[in-house]
Amino acid sequence: MSGREARLTQNPLQKIWVPNVTSRLLRRRGSSVPQFTNSPTMIVLVGLPARGKTYISKKLTRYLNWIGVPTRGIHHACAISALRDVCSYFNRQEGQVAVFDATNTTQERREVILSFAKENGYKVFFVESICEDPQIIAENIKQVKLSSPDYVDCDKEEAVADFLKRIECYKLSYTPLDDDRDRNLSYIKIFNVGSRYLVNRVQDHIQSRIVYYLMNIHVTPRSIYLSRHGESELNLLGRIGGDSGLSPRGAGFASALCTYMRDQNISDLKVWTSHMKRTIQTAEALGVPYEQWKALNEIDAGVCEDMTYEEIQEHYPEEFALRDQDKYRYRYPKGESYEDLVQRLEPVIMELERQENVLVICHQAVMRCLLAYFLDKSASELPYLKCPLHTVLKLTPVAYGCKVESLFLNIEAVNTHRDRPENVEVDRDPEEALETVPDHI
Amino acid sequence: MYGCPRRLCMTNCPTLIVTVGLPARGKTYISKKLTRYLNWIGVPTREFNVGQYRRDYMKIYKSFEFFRPDNEEGLKIRQHCASAALNDVRQYLSDEGGQVAVFDATNTTRERRMTIFQFAKQNGFKVFFVESVCEDPHVIQENIVQVKLGSPDYTNCNTEEAVSDFMKRIQCYENSYQTLDEVLDRDLSYIKIMDVGRRYLVNRVLDHIQSRIVYYLMNIHITPRSIYLCRHGESELNIKGRIGGDSGLSARGKEFAKLLSQFIAAQGISDLKVWTSQMKRTIQTAEALDVPYEQWKVLNEIDAGVCEEMMYEEIQESHPLEFALRDQDKYRYRYPKGESYEDLVQRLEPAIMELERQENVLVICHQAVMRCLLAYFLDKTAEELPYLKCPLHTVLKLTPVAYGCKVESICLSAEAVNTHRERPENVEVSRRSKEALLTVPAHQ
């Protein structure tokens, strides 16, 4: 077979090289992230009520979507409706993973799901949560069940008792996954909120990632503090990127941050920074040990590093327009995209899941990516999340989501947030492009 | 100064990994592989194989009788060897800056494991057990053939004798074997690997390093396969002696791509995965293969920052200090606004993890990237890594065998510029240009 000598073109948005002849090969090549799944996967939750299935489903869905695997949670009491939903989701070719959150406690129910999956060529991965610790179950019920409409006018203790009775009903017909009978299925059993796991027949990359993720999450109460470095010299000049030091106001913020964190009175706080001067200078003011992560470095703006938006418009007007067209996927020439940043930050997120109280001192684009993970923001929202200087975001997991407290530490700083302008066409006037550029020196 | 170490602090106290399992269950395979992986990602790790201590002590192996549970003399010697090994573990972790020690022995009784656990506790080490359980006779047989027959213990035996003796050796352990128990051992941290990875039981993972170890162990397999590593075909910038950049293939580079295509076809591999970076030259090379391929940004060449697209002569002229620093410690040296080999390894870790999961893969990458990947497979140190020879137009076929990797080097065409710059003699900042440029390979 003689090889083809293809001409390559670089797609202007993502800077991905693709052959410019129509390919007769089936697999898409133009992705900026390797595609690891061939067949769609159904993740099926198994377990009695109040075992954390919905917590796991929502968290897993959020994680998979964030790393770029289109995932949807399917919630239907009726199995038939649920499976129909799954079918249409996969058929529209949007989704790669469907998370079926229900008790699925009987073998019969699971058989139905398995046959359905087999008929349609979907992979199935079971996630079973097993817990007999009454304290955990009671806490669970209090956190997420009592707010349900079912218990709106009930006394707390009565509601808990009632819910426990509900669980008893399920127990009668509950058949856990059996290590012998179900030995050919792919699954993970989670015991007592993660003190033990049984993992059986992991089939592929995505299942391996799911297992790794599930084994790293925990439910111990804690808070994650996200903040940018103090205002930098380049910030004042309206320049992006670079590796400048703090401005006087930035140094003031660092002190204020120190005071704030001391007042928070956290035992065993971990502090993380990037490898860039401005985050390290900020951390130094705290007077506590900190760790530097290269992965937390600001997005690499490639040829646009150290430029003002006005200069970018002057030298690279087309790039500037493309970025406004799709800020998430746009990759700076010789630089990165938000999409690249998410891939780079995944180990940071994984470690944040493992840890308890952490303060992350990072950068605007990086903070947007991390925030999008915790607050389940879409790829289109992510690059426009507001992460102003000198403002600490305190994230505390609660119920199925995250409580956010935003605290501006009262030290003035330049605004670095540029909203999407109205006109994103390549042929727009410079004024239209620069409409939303924030003020600077 | 706080926060000096660049990489994430994996663990506060050193970790002792303790293998558990009958003979021929892959304990040494796992120990060596895990040690190699941890060292590669920057966690100083060493394995301590008690069997090796026994061989060093005994000099001559007579027969399985040595391992009989009623052989008091044998028991005493084995006990002595285990203690000697633990002593070395203590020295490595407490005095020599080691972070992880892998204690490779059968450790099949609860009593023995308790002794080790106490030892670790006394010394402030965390303990993580790795048990391998397997009853598949095919796997055990293959194991014996691959690594036992060639053991020093059996140099003077024929195959049948060796296999028979070894099977009896296994029997010596079977009666007293106490597998890690879900109830009795519920407070220990461990992973139990069953049937070569079909099933895992993971208990009480305590920290980051244990979590990474579990993830790694759950991704490795022993299915025979080969990994092909090569660079892109010669590029336009290669010819000019310029580093980095994103240029296309030269005419000779395109020739190589065709030859690579023929070579791969001739290898007749079922289900070959092909990976490239996101740089033009690797993609052009892959295109010639006419098969689907995946582009990984993590496989991009090392970022030379301000030195991108320069010739070494130009770097010497404009950044002589940087050039010297790089020669002083090529692994840790980071280009201004660029990367170091150390950064590259962190970046490549997901690629290594996926290579472990996969079977037959061809990776078309770049010089520095290929050096990092090769160092992982061939267990090269940080000092050796940046000087590994990865010439253009040469495919390295890596095939796991026994405890290591067989390497076949296939040069598909002699026609390509040399891009390998050796470490010059004088690495001092004060050196003259001529001394700095002594080892620069010829170019246009």
Side-chain angles (χ1 to χ4, degrees):
Chain A
M1 175 207 304
S2 68
R4 296 178 302 144
E5 199 189 286
R7 288 283 158 81
L8 296 182
T9 51
Q10 201 178 39
N11 99 1
L13 181 77
Q14 292 173 300
K15 313 297 189 292
I16 306 277
W17 290 102
V18 287
N20 61 4
V21 294
T22 42
S23 172
R24 56 191 165 82
L25 299 168
L26 301 169
R27 171 100 117 241
R28 39 186 280 249
R29 290 203 211 98
S31 164
S32 81
V33 176
Q35 303 300 300
F36 284 120
T37 67
N38 312 325
S39 10
T41 302
M42 285 182 62
I43 299 177
V44 180
L45 275 295
V46 180
L48 293 171
R51 263 52 176 182
K53 294 184 303 300
T54 301
Y55 176 81
I56 290 169
S57 301
K58 286 185 184 282
K59 224 171 141 69
L60 191 53
T61 301
R62 177 161 59 87
Y63 169 71
L64 291 172
N65 277 312
W66 187 77
I67 62 170
V69 179
T71 303
R72 178 181 299 183
I74 310 281
H75 311 275
H76 266 296
C78 167
I80 314 295
S81 309
L83 295 180
R84 211 183 316 137
D85 269 3
V86 169
C87 226
S88 58
Y89 178 58
F90 286 151
N91 285 341
R92 289 199 303 269
Q93 289 196 326
E94 317 170 338
Q96 270 177 256
V97 178
V99 181
F100 184 20
D101 174 22
T103 51
N104 298 316
T105 38
T106 62
Q107 212 195 329
E108 288 75 33
R109 162 68 68 94
R110 299 196 289 264
E111 286 298 328
V112 167
I113 296 169
L114 283 165
S115 328
F116 162 82
K118 196 165 176 197
E119 271 167 41
N120 289 283
Y122 306 152
K123 288 183 181 173
V124 180
F125 188 75
F126 292 97
V127 176
E128 180 169 26
S129 174
I130 295 168
C131 182
E132 286 316 317
D133 183 334
Q135 260 186 313
I136 298 177
I137 296 168
E139 182 58 32
N140 210 322
I141 295 175
K142 288 197 186 114
Q143 273 234 3
V144 295
K145 303 297 181 189
L146 300 191
S147 51
S148 130
D150 293 350
Y151 293 112
V152 88
D153 287 319
C154 284
D155 157 63
K156 233 189 232 187
E157 295 308 322
E158 274 176 25
V160 171
D162 182 86
F163 200 86
L164 286 172
K165 286 206 200 93
R166 263 207 232 181
I167 296 176
E168 289 303 313
C169 294
Y170 277 94
K171 273 190 186 171
L172 298 173
S173 57
Y174 176 32
T175 322
L177 288 169
D178 184 85
D179 294 334
D180 188 49
R181 195 192 52 228
D182 296 315
R183 67 184 169 281
N184 288 325
L185 301 184
S186 295
Y187 62 84
I188 179 172
K189 279 192 196 180
I190 305 171
F191 296 91
N192 294 325
V193 205
S195 70
R196 192 164 87 246
Y197 305 91
L198 185 79
V199 180
N200 199 62
R201 288 193 187 267
V202 170
Q203 293 173 46
D204 60 16
H205 176 94
I206 196 68
Q207 292 181 15
S208 167
R209 294 285 286 277
I210 289 166
V211 164
Y212 184 43
Y213 182 73
L214 292 177
M215 287 175 52
N216 281 317
I217 62 180
H218 67 77
V219 294
T220 311
R222 50 80 171 253
S223 289
I224 294 169
Y225 299 79
L226 300 182
S227 164
R228 290 169 67 187
H229 52 82
E231 182 190 69
S232 73
E233 298 289 355
L234 285 181
N235 285 146
L236 279 175
L237 299 171
R239 294 184 174 283
I240 65 171
D243 194 14
S244 59
L246 299 180
S247 70
R249 298 195 298 195
F253 165 73
S255 304
L257 183 63
C258 178
T259 310
Y260 170 73
M261 292 313 297
R262 286 228 181 96
D263 291 343
Q264 288 287 299
N265 208 12
I266 306 141
S267 64
D268 203 32
L269 175 76
K270 298 283 198 306
V271 179
W272 297 352
T273 70
S274 68
H275 276 198
M276 296 178 141
K277 191 173 174 184
R278 50 200 188 277
T279 57
I280 295 168
Q281 276 182 316
T282 309
E284 278 289 323
L286 302 179
V288 297
Y290 58 90
E291 280 172 35
Q292 300 181 20
W293 288 72
K294 190 171 192 278
L296 286 172
N297 278 7
E298 182 57 314
I299 191 171
D300 184 355
V303 300
C304 298
E305 277 285 314
D306 288 292
M307 286 189 173
T308 60
Y309 289 120
E310 291 85 349
E311 286 167 357
I312 299 176
Q313 168 59 28
E314 194 188 324
H315 299 282
Y316 302 99
E318 186 180 329
E319 293 293 328
F320 203 38
L322 286 172
R323 186 158 207 255
D324 284 335
Q325 288 175 21
D326 190 345
K327 198 175 177 191
Y328 184 73
R329 278 166 209 84
Y330 170 81
R331 186 184 282 169
Y332 281 104
K334 302 194 178 179
E336 293 176 305
S337 62
Y338 272 94
E339 194 171 26
D340 295 329
L341 205 49
V342 160
Q343 292 311 311
R344 179 162 44 92
L345 286 168
E346 198 266 352
V348 176
I349 286 294
M350 195 63 85
E351 191 54 23
L352 276 172
E353 286 295 346
R354 290 198 52 78
Q355 291 288 345
E356 291 182 20
N357 294 309
V358 187
L359 164 65
V360 184
I361 303 172
C362 55
H363 305 267
Q364 183 167 246
V366 169
M367 188 161 158
R368 283 170 172 156
C369 291
L370 298 178
L371 196 58
Y373 166 74
F374 289 108
L375 303 186
D376 203 17
K377 298 298 185 184
S378 66
S380 39
E381 296 171 294
L382 186 161
Y384 295 102
L385 293 175
K386 287 210 161 70
C387 295
L389 286 165
H390 300 184
T391 305
V392 181
L393 291 185
K394 178 178 178 180
L395 305 169
T396 311
V398 71
Y400 296 136
C402 227
K403 179 173 85 169
V404 192
E405 293 164 71
S406 169
L407 190 69
F408 171 62
L409 292 191
N410 226 352
I411 306 226
E412 290 303 308
V414 76
N415 172 28
T416 58
H417 186 95
R418 177 177 168 270
D419 271 315
R420 191 179 196 261
E422 269 209 53
N423 190 344
V424 300
E425 298 307 316
V426 170
D427 59 1
R428 63 192 177 176
D429 294 324
E431 299 83 56
E432 295 176 290
L434 299 173
E435 214 170 31
T436 55
V437 171
D439 295 325
H440 57 88
I441 299 175
Chain B
M1 190 220 150
Y2 294 125
C4 244
R6 282 170 169 186
R7 71 182 135 301
L8 172 67
C9 174
M10 298 269 183
T11 173
N12 315 325
C13 30
T15 302
L16 177 60
I17 297 177
V18 181
T19 64
V20 179
L22 293 172
R25 264 54 176 183
K27 297 184 301 300
T28 302
Y29 175 80
I30 288 168
S31 299
K32 286 183 183 283
K33 218 171 149 69
L34 189 55
T35 301
R36 179 162 56 87
Y37 168 70
L38 291 173
N39 277 312
W40 187 76
I41 63 171
V43 180
T45 305
R46 188 181 296 175
E47 35 134 8
F48 298 83
N49 178 292
V50 176
Q52 194 50 49
Y53 280 75
R54 188 259 307 158
R55 273 184 283 274
D56 292 342
Y57 187 86
M58 296 287 293
K59 308 291 185 231
I60 299 174
Y61 172 78
K62 292 214 197 92
S63 79
F64 77 95
E65 306 268 359
F66 178 80
F67 291 98
R68 287 178 53 152
D70 54 0
N71 181 342
E72 279 195 36
E73 174 76 23
L75 281 170
K76 232 193 283 183
I77 293 171
R78 288 154 69 195
Q79 174 67 51
H80 168 89
C81 290
S83 299
L86 281 180
N87 211 25
D88 287 349
V89 164
R90 185 210 333 260
Q91 196 173 319
Y92 177 65
L93 294 180
S94 299
D95 304 333
E96 291 174 22
Q99 257 182 269
V100 178
V102 184
F103 186 67
D104 175 18
T106 49
N107 300 316
T108 38
T109 62
R110 189 157 286 114
E111 187 192 344
R112 165 55 58 91
R113 297 195 289 267
M114 257 316 112
T115 312
I116 298 168
F117 189 81
Q118 301 298 353
F119 158 85
K121 204 160 170 203
Q122 273 164 25
N123 287 284
F125 308 150
K126 286 184 182 169
V127 182
F128 189 75
F129 293 96
V130 177
E131 180 173 19
S132 174
V133 175
C134 180
E135 287 317 315
D136 183 337
H138 295 296
V139 174
I140 297 166
Q141 179 76 7
E142 184 57 30
N143 204 323
I144 296 176
V145 166
Q146 275 236 3
V147 297
K148 303 299 180 189
L149 298 187
S151 149
D153 292 347
Y154 295 114
T155 30
N156 295 320
C157 295
N158 70 37
T159 305
E160 263 166 41
E161 286 167 2
V163 172
S164 159
D165 182 272
F166 200 83
M167 297 302 279
K168 293 203 192 92
R169 202 152 112 178
I170 299 177
Q171 272 167 18
C172 294
Y173 287 87
E174 270 169 349
N175 284 337
S176 60
Y177 182 22
Q178 292 166 303
T179 183
L180 287 169
D181 183 80
E182 272 177 38
V183 175
L184 294 172
D185 299 307
R186 64 183 169 281
D187 290 330
L188 299 181
S189 296
Y190 66 84
I191 179 171
K192 188 188 281 202
I193 305 169
M194 294 168 266
D195 296 322
V196 205
R198 190 153 297 166
R199 176 182 297 182
Y200 305 92
L201 190 70
V202 179
N203 200 62
R204 293 196 186 273
V205 170
L206 293 179
D207 60 16
H208 178 94
I209 193 67
Q210 291 182 15
S211 166
R212 294 284 287 275
I213 288 166
V214 164
Y215 185 44
Y216 181 72
L217 292 177
M218 288 177 54
N219 281 317
I220 61 180
H221 67 78
I222 56 168
T223 311
R225 50 81 172 253
S226 289
I227 294 168
Y228 299 80
L229 300 181
C230 75
R231 291 167 67 185
H232 52 84
E234 183 192 67
S235 74
E236 298 290 356
L237 285 180
N238 284 147
I239 297 181
K240 300 191 179 120
R242 293 183 175 283
I243 65 172
D246 195 14
S247 60
L249 299 179
S250 67
R252 298 195 300 196
K254 289 177 185 163
E255 257 316 298
F256 165 72
K258 289 198 190 116
L259 292 173
L260 181 64
S261 174
Q262 289 163 14
F263 169 75
I264 291 297
Q267 288 282 300
I269 310 140
S270 65
D271 203 33
L272 175 75
K273 298 281 196 305
V274 179
W275 298 351
T276 69
S277 70
Q278 287 192 343
M279 297 180 140
K280 192 173 177 183
R281 51 201 187 277
T282 57
I283 296 166
Q284 271 184 313
T285 309
E287 277 289 320
L289 303 178
D290 212 19
V291 296
Y293 57 89
E294 295 278 2
Q295 298 184 17
W296 282 74
K297 191 169 191 278
V298 300
L299 290 174
N300 279 7
E301 181 58 315
I302 192 171
D303 183 355
V306 299
C307 297
E308 276 285 316
E309 286 179 70
M310 286 189 174
M311 297 186 291
Y312 289 119
E313 292 85 345
E314 289 169 352
I315 300 177
Q316 167 59 25
E317 193 185 322
S318 55
H319 300 87
L321 170 64
E322 294 292 329
F323 204 38
L325 288 174
R326 186 158 206 255
D327 284 336
Q328 289 175 19
D329 190 346
K330 197 175 176 191
Y331 183 73
R332 279 164 209 84
Y333 170 80
R334 188 185 280 169
Y335 281 106
K337 302 195 178 179
E339 293 177 304
S340 62
Y341 272 93
E342 193 172 25
D343 295 328
L344 205 49
V345 161
Q346 291 310 310
R347 180 165 40 96
L348 285 167
E349 201 264 352
I352 285 295
M353 196 63 84
E354 192 54 23
L355 275 171
E356 286 294 347
R357 290 198 53 77
Q358 292 287 345
E359 294 182 20
N360 295 309
V361 187
L362 163 65
V363 184
I364 304 172
C365 55
H366 305 266
Q367 182 166 248
V369 170
M370 188 162 158
R371 284 170 171 155
C372 292
L373 298 178
L374 196 57
Y376 167 75
F377 288 108
L378 302 186
D379 203 18
K380 298 295 183 187
T381 64
E383 284 63 47
E384 298 169 298
L385 186 161
Y387 296 100
L388 293 175
K389 285 209 163 69
C390 295
L392 288 165
H393 300 185
T394 302
V395 180
L396 291 185
K397 178 178 178 181
L398 306 169
T399 311
V401 71
Y403 296 134
C405 228
K406 179 172 86 169
V407 192
E408 292 165 70
S409 172
I410 306 114
C411 177
L412 289 188
S413 111
E415 305 279 312
V417 75
N418 170 29
T419 59
H420 186 96
R421 178 177 167 268
E422 289 289 357
R423 190 179 196 261
E425 267 211 55
N426 191 346
V427 299
E428 297 309 314
V429 172
S430 57
R431 65 190 177 177
R432 298 199 306 281
S433 287
K434 228 187 284 189
E435 296 176 289
L437 299 173
L438 210 62
T439 54
V440 171
H443 59 86
Q444 266 176 14

